Amino acid sequence: MGAPLISLHGIAKQYGEGELATRVLHDINLVINRGEFVAIMGSSGSGKSTLMHILGCLDRPSGGQYRLLGRDVASLSGDELAALRRDTFGFVFQSYHLLGGLSARENVEVPALYSGLSRAERKARAEQLLTTLGLENRLGNKPSQLSGGQQQRVSIARALMNGGDIILADEPTGALDSHSGAEVMALLTGLARQGHTVILITHDPKVAAQADRRIEISDGRIIADPGPASAREDTAVPARPRPAGSLATELLEAVRTAFRSLHSNLFRAALTLLGIVIGVASVITMLAIGNGSQQQVVQSISAMGSNLLLVRPGAPNQWGRRATSTLVAADMDAIKEVANVAAAVPEIGGAATLRFGNLDHSPEINATSADFPAARQWALSAGTFFTADDEQSYATVAVLGQSVVDALFPDTDPLGQYVMVNNILFQVIGVMAPKGASPWGQDQDDVVFVPYTTGGLRLFGQQFLRSITVSVDDVARIGDTEAEIHRLLLARHGVEDFQIRNMSSIIDTVSATTRTFTWLLGSIAAISLLVGGIGVMNIMLVSVTERTREVGIRMATGARQRHILQQFLTEALVVSALGGAIGVVLGLAAAALVGRFEIPVYFSLSPVLLAFGCAFVTGLVFGWLPARKAARLDPVIALASE
Ligand code: ADP
Ligand code: MG
């Protein structure tokens, strides 16, 4: 009734092509019905294993037709073949083919990983199977801690994990002593009695004698076959669990497997990790330092005010030269009339020696106007700044910077005191709030402010201004204002003997420069991340080569290409994500440490995300190739590797 379970028609198999081709199987015709217990007998090299690999969908024939339950196997996709190996076949090999890193129970669970059984069900079923096979005390033992007979029983339990309708056993007793061999044969016979279809391959007639039907094969041809027994539809194979696998469980399992495999080679994993850790940590530290110095420079320049225009004497190509005598107070008064100008502050500078009591100090003297504090956004910490009246009356009043106060008035309140400036008495009327060092490292507090009128006449003996600082109301229109002042001064002077600098454009230039510097640091660090990625790839390639047999075993128990790809890719991702996480922590810690040495650092989320993201992508990119290599392995060739 219905199609036979297995029907081979004219199956041939050859290895190699052309002149080198070896034909291993010739015109095999064979029908096996459900529930049969068949032994395929033949001497070594006669093609038994080759036939079994074809029967178990581990290998494809080179010719002929194989029908499994009426379906032509040649028409099935790789995934459908994997599903057959997973759900229909159970393999028992002469050399057991257990995974050395897993316990007996975990080995038995492997086929259920690919059918998506839940962890608890998997565990329960594996324990129950091992208990039936008399291994209840060996659940946690690794294969190396088990005898040959015990290992073979574990592999039988594994074959039954997903049901094992058809058990394919290739010389299952070949490596066992006669006692263990007899035990294994008893188990297989028992399975056949329960309704499993058992196909036993052996070169030993005594073993073959225990089967119900003996097929003899010699030099790739069937030379004796009593023919199939009628199908036993009465004995149904015990119901197997039929789970619905979810991708989430699969991924979780892949992550678990990844951790296990990393754990099994800790030193190597640590070295690989180190590459990624160093890469990520250096990206984060470098960017924190780069961003920190950028912020600092920009901040201290911005603190001077981004709404400022700086007018200086001298032709535009002479920036930096001093003492050109072209700017006068009248220019300043004219500039004040330009639209959008809030204030125009003159500066006449020079050095002078201050004396108070028996203390001397030589700060910078800045002769300026009453608008200075407002224009420069520089407040006073005590007293008042001088007024426009003071300017007009050539008042001998001075406002001191904090450093000058520290030098001349260590214990006295300076307000109201008189200091000698170049032998002229000035009264101290105010103290500026401390400002600290300029972006160029100069002490901005070592300064004395006096009215520009008094300074020009009595201290420096000249009326020419060193600079005019113009503040504007609307920063958005600063460009227009700059052009307007340019026109005005050109008209007044007749020649371009002045130059105007725009603070906001200076800030832009400086921040662009420091940004370039940050990117430079960042890209040097990124190179080390790349090197880390190559390390990951290298290790993964080694790992795939080392674990080819494992890949074969997993494929024989039903893993699809996707599962293998997923497994190796997950391993690469776990390494790089772990390395990335450690690197982030280390990088932040290193940056914080650097920050303690008065080097400015600036933390922000984006470098962290960037570095971690890069590490993850590195794992994906560099893990892909090895993972694909593993997934594309041929199951038979993978199984044969040692
Ligand atoms: P048996 O299991 O009966 O001992 P096999 O099926 O393993 O025999 O091998 C049958 C013949 O096929 C042998 O002569 C063997 O050398 C050859 N053979 C098996 N696998 C390959 C292969 N991958 N490439 C080339 N020849 C192979
Ligand atoms: Mg063989």
Side-chain angles (χ1 to χ4, degrees):
M1 48 185 287
L5 182 65
I6 286 172
S7 128
L8 301 185
H9 187 76
I11 289 290
K13 177 72 186 178
Q14 71 175 46
Y15 290 108
E17 291 293 324
E19 301 224 329
L20 293 171
T22 13
R23 295 185 65 94
V24 177
L25 295 178
H26 310 265
D27 191 29
I28 301 278
N29 296 296
L30 181 62
V31 170
I32 297 174
N33 278 320
R34 181 178 290 284
E36 282 199 87
F37 184 9
V38 181
I40 298 177
M41 260 173 72
S43 56
S44 176
S46 55
K48 306 182 296 292
S49 296
T50 307
L51 180 58
M52 190 201 85
H53 291 148
I54 291 174
L55 285 174
C57 300
L58 286 167
D59 205 357
R60 291 178 185 262
S62 350
Q65 197 182 46
Y66 174 14
R67 286 182 167 274
L68 187 66
L69 278 168
R71 290 167 84 196
D72 186 356
V73 168
S75 69
L76 300 181
S77 71
D79 280 354
E80 286 169 316
L81 294 178
L84 281 176
R85 294 195 291 266
R86 183 185 71 206
D87 297 329
T88 307
F89 294 106
F91 295 95
V92 179
F93 299 97
Q94 177 174 3
S95 52
Y96 330 124
H97 280 334
L98 298 177
L99 295 178
L102 305 188
S103 69
R105 199 198 75 224
E106 289 165 334
N107 264 292
V108 175
E109 285 181 31
V110 169
L113 292 179
Y114 303 117
S115 61
L117 212 58
S118 82
R119 202 171 155 75
E121 285 177 289
R122 230 161 50 208
K123 197 174 161 207
R125 182 164 167 84
E127 282 177 10
Q128 179 236 316
L129 282 169
L130 284 169
T131 307
T132 346
L133 298 186
L135 288 172
E136 62 275 17
N137 298 325
R138 294 284 181 273
L139 299 178
N141 290 50
K142 297 271 167 73
S144 57
Q145 300 163 327
L146 297 174
S147 74
Q150 290 169 330
Q151 289 188 63
Q152 196 58 297
R153 278 187 274 160
V154 173
S155 97
I156 292 173
R158 181 179 64 190
L160 294 172
M161 187 65 185
N162 284 348
D165 281 0
I166 308 174
I167 304 279
L168 291 170
D170 190 353
E171 310 267 12
T173 58
L176 300 179
D177 59 83
S178 56
H179 176 70
S180 313
E183 269 180 7
V184 165
M185 278 313 296
L187 278 174
L188 290 175
T189 312
L191 290 175
R193 297 295 161 253
Q194 284 168 33
H196 292 267
T197 307
V198 178
I199 301 174
L200 170 71
I201 281 168
T202 182
H203 66 277
D204 183 348
K206 285 203 287 291
V207 171
Q210 301 177 46
D212 300 332
R213 170 183 170 195
R214 283 167 296 281
I215 299 168
E216 273 182 66
I217 181 170
S218 172
D219 286 333
R221 291 176 204 277
I222 291 181
I223 52 169
D225 179 7
S230 56
R232 287 171 47 185
E233 299 293 343
D234 54 321
T235 22
V237 166
R240 78 185 67 141
R242 275 281 172 207
S246 84
L247 191 66
T249 8
E250 244 174 47
L251 287 179
L252 193 70
E253 212 45 60
V255 171
R256 257 198 210 109
T257 313
F259 270 106
R260 197 202 308 273
S261 109
L262 293 178
H263 186 78
S264 70
N265 212 328
L266 261 184
F267 186 61
R268 186 205 281 175
L271 284 180
T272 316
L273 218 59
L274 198 63
I276 295 283
V277 168
I278 291 174
V280 169
S282 53
V283 167
I284 288 177
T285 313
M286 293 297 183
L287 288 184
I289 293 173
N291 284 333
S293 54
Q294 176 180 356
Q295 293 266 325
Q296 193 197 37
V297 169
V298 170
Q299 249 166 32
S300 47
I301 296 179
S302 307
M304 294 170 148
S306 59
N307 62 334
L308 299 184
L309 291 170
L310 212 58
V311 184
R312 287 191 144 196
N317 55 359
Q318 293 181 325
W319 185 266
R321 293 200 196 164
R322 291 288 177 95
T324 319
S325 325
T326 53
L327 279 183
V328 292
D331 289 329
M332 175 186 78
D333 294 331
I335 289 172
K336 281 181 181 167
E337 302 307 316
V338 172
N340 194 32
V341 169
V345 178
E347 283 180 45
I348 308 173
T353 300
L354 262 70
R355 163 160 294 214
F356 177 73
N358 56 359
L359 292 174
D360 273 352
H361 187 63
S362 298
E364 158 104 10
I365 307 292
N366 195 339
T368 182
S369 74
D371 292 330
F372 182 91
R376 278 291 174 88
Q377 293 167 11
W378 191 348
L380 280 85
S381 63
T384 55
F385 210 73
F386 47 79
T387 61
D389 286 345
D390 292 329
E391 288 169 20
Q392 255 137 50
S393 61
Y394 290 77
T396 47
V397 289
V399 178
L400 308 184
Q402 188 58 50
S403 299
V404 181
V405 173
D406 294 343
L408 294 183
F409 300 94
D411 330 291
T412 338
D413 179 7
L415 288 186
Q417 304 286 354
Y418 287 86
V419 288
M420 291 276 268
V421 185
N422 287 1
N423 296 323
I424 301 161
L425 275 178
F426 278 73
Q427 186 176 24
V428 178
I429 57 166
V431 176
M432 302 303 289
K435 200 149 202 183
S438 77
W440 304 277
Q442 189 184 342
D443 180 8
Q444 299 178 92
D445 297 318
D446 196 17
V447 66
V448 173
F449 296 98
V450 299
Y452 72 96
T453 46
T454 325
L457 185 71
R458 306 194 59 179
L459 292 181
F460 306 125
Q462 52 110 342
Q463 296 302 313
F464 296 105
L465 305 182
R466 186 177 64 181
S467 71
I468 302 171
T469 304
V470 180
S471 64
V472 298
D473 286 322
D474 181 2
V475 183
R477 289 194 291 137
I478 196 164
D480 296 340
T481 313
E482 181 180 351
E484 185 63 30
I485 294 172
H486 190 270
R487 262 195 302 280
L488 174 82
L489 290 180
L490 201 56
R492 290 177 59 87
H493 294 193
V495 288
E496 193 170 358
D497 54 2
F498 59 89
Q499 40 195 303
I500 306 176
R501 282 292 165 101
N502 179 332
M503 276 307 268
S504 57
S505 72
I506 292 177
I507 291 172
D508 287 349
T509 315
V510 171
S511 49
T513 315
T514 51
R515 202 173 307 127
T516 312
F517 170 69
T518 305
W519 277 111
L520 189 73
L521 285 181
S523 46
I524 291 171
I527 289 172
S528 70
L529 194 57
L530 184 77
V531 174
I534 294 172
V536 171
M537 172 138 98
N538 189 21
I539 283 307
M540 292 306 301
L541 283 172
V542 171
S543 163
V544 168
T545 311
E546 273 183 2
R547 287 155 62 194
T548 304
R549 199 178 67 99
E550 175 190 329
V551 171
I553 294 169
R554 289 181 182 276
M555 285 178 163
T557 54
R560 300 173 175 195
Q561 285 204 349
R562 177 171 64 81
H563 290 118
I564 303 293
L565 187 78
Q566 205 167 283
Q567 184 190 335
F568 282 91
L569 207 53
T570 310
E571 258 172 57
L573 285 181
V574 162
V575 171
S576 47
L578 206 64
I582 299 174
V584 165
V585 173
L586 226 62
L588 291 177
L593 194 71
V594 166
R596 291 184 153 236
F597 295 101
E598 296 194 352
I599 296 169
V601 290
Y602 177 74
F603 296 101
S604 60
L605 191 60
S606 48
V608 171
L609 293 181
L610 185 83
F612 189 80
C614 280
F616 204 76
V617 171
T618 302
L620 200 66
V621 170
F622 289 100
W624 176 259
L625 204 74
R628 204 189 52 170
K629 185 182 166 196
R632 288 193 172 175
L633 285 170
D634 187 325
V636 178
I637 294 172
L639 267 180
S641 90
E642 272 317 318

